[in-house]
Amino acid sequence: VTDAPRTTLDAVSLTIGGRRLLDGLSLDLADRRIGVIGRNGSGKSLLARLLAGLIAPDQGRALVDGVDVARDRRRAIDTVGILFQNPDHQIIFPTVEEEIAFGLTQQGLGKAAARGAAHVMLDRFGARDWAARPVQTLSQGQRHLVCMMLAALDQRLIHITHDMAALAGYDRVIWLDGGAVAMDGAPEPVIAAYLARMQGLGDDDAVADL
Ligand SMILES: Nc1ncnc2c1ncn2[C@@H]1O[C@H](COP(=O)(O)OP(=O)(O)OP(=O)(O)O)[C@@H](O)[C@H]1O
Ligand SMILES: [Mg+2]
């Protein structure tokens, strides 16, 4: 068994149009199942795009096994071993099938074999007809089921969600606020603090539909 690739953010900041959208993020993303939460506009999707090499930080670096993601996206994505389960996306994988197949190519399967195995997995969950659908057209419960398929593949996961229940059993939850880490740790205390803050703000976007 080889060590999982190590993904780290080193003092990453991103400013667009004079607004600092990500503010000095330093994270070591070594855990198998990581949830990312935060209110609307807190920087979750920007973080995913950054890790996928779709945007480059203007300060700091995102590294996957020492490879700068912004410089060598292809190599980073090939090694990252992290799967974004991002409801708003089409960031990396346009369809459910590709999302699942990616996890399998990470485990060494060829592309065709991975695709075939993804179909087997979808069949097993009674979801054969989801294969060609964009993840964003699935309901929240259906996306949750896709996460369970990925978990069945023992795939590493960064799961960006507003659905706190989906993060039960995760190793770690990162709460982003204003492009910075508000709290980072075991799911229960982080989610409890987040929900308490949201209630304090009288803010309902934490449970808004995605
Ligand atoms: N290309 C861009 N240009 C300017 N501002 C942007 C750009 N992309 C994102 N932003 C801003 O950055 C902030 C963070 O956006 P992001 O999409 O990461 O939020 P989020 O946490 O994913 O929110 P949600 O929960 O609604 O999906 C928001 O204020 C957003 O308006
Ligand atoms: Mg988002």
Side-chain angles (χ1 to χ4, degrees):
V1 180
T2 54
D3 283 334
R6 191 179 194 80
T7 303
T8 51
L9 294 188
D10 181 16
V12 161
S13 293
L14 177 72
T15 304
I16 299 179
R19 279 183 65 212
R20 177 154 286 217
L21 303 176
L22 294 177
D23 192 11
L25 284 181
S26 287
L27 290 166
D28 187 354
L29 302 171
D31 308 77
R32 289 199 73 74
R33 297 191 201 297
I34 301 174
V36 178
I37 61 175
R39 58 193 302 200
N40 297 126
S42 57
K44 303 181 299 296
S45 294
L46 287 176
L47 173 64
R49 293 193 173 95
L50 192 92
L51 289 172
L54 296 174
I55 50 174
D58 42 42
Q59 284 173 49
R61 291 192 306 169
L63 298 172
V64 176
D65 260 4
V67 176
D68 188 326
V69 180
R71 289 220 175 127
D72 194 348
R73 170 163 191 252
R74 170 117 235 127
R75 210 171 128 212
I77 296 268
D78 283 348
T79 14
V80 67
I82 288 183
L83 217 145
F84 304 100
Q85 190 36 240
N86 185 355
D88 72 1
H89 74 169
Q90 292 190 305
I91 286 181
I92 311 178
F93 307 105
T95 66
V96 172
E97 175 189 285
E98 287 165 87
E99 184 100 35
I100 296 168
F102 174 76
L104 294 161
T105 56
Q106 290 293 299
Q107 294 170 6
L109 282 190
K111 278 215 171 114
R115 200 158 282 237
H119 279 256
V120 170
M121 182 63 73
L122 285 163
D123 269 348
R124 211 166 99 193
F125 281 80
R128 177 196 293 247
D129 56 330
W130 296 0
R133 284 177 62 179
V135 176
Q136 64 185 7
T137 69
L138 299 179
S139 75
Q140 201 163 50
Q142 290 169 332
R143 287 176 206 144
H144 193 172
L145 203 58
V146 171
C147 284
M148 287 168 64
M149 293 180 209
L150 299 173
L153 295 170
D154 204 26
Q155 178 61 44
R156 293 180 76 211
L157 211 56
I158 291 182
H159 186 172
I160 296 173
T161 186
H162 290 270
D163 176 14
M164 301 304 128
L167 302 178
Y170 274 49
D171 301 308
R172 174 180 174 192
V173 171
I174 298 166
W175 165 18
L176 291 184
D177 193 55
V181 176
M183 195 171 167
D184 180 358
E188 293 78 10
V190 176
I191 289 171
Y194 170 68
L195 292 175
R197 172 78 63 85
M198 290 307 108
Q199 222 156 25
L201 291 172
D203 194 326
D204 61 1
D205 69 12
V207 290
D209 189 42
L210 300 162

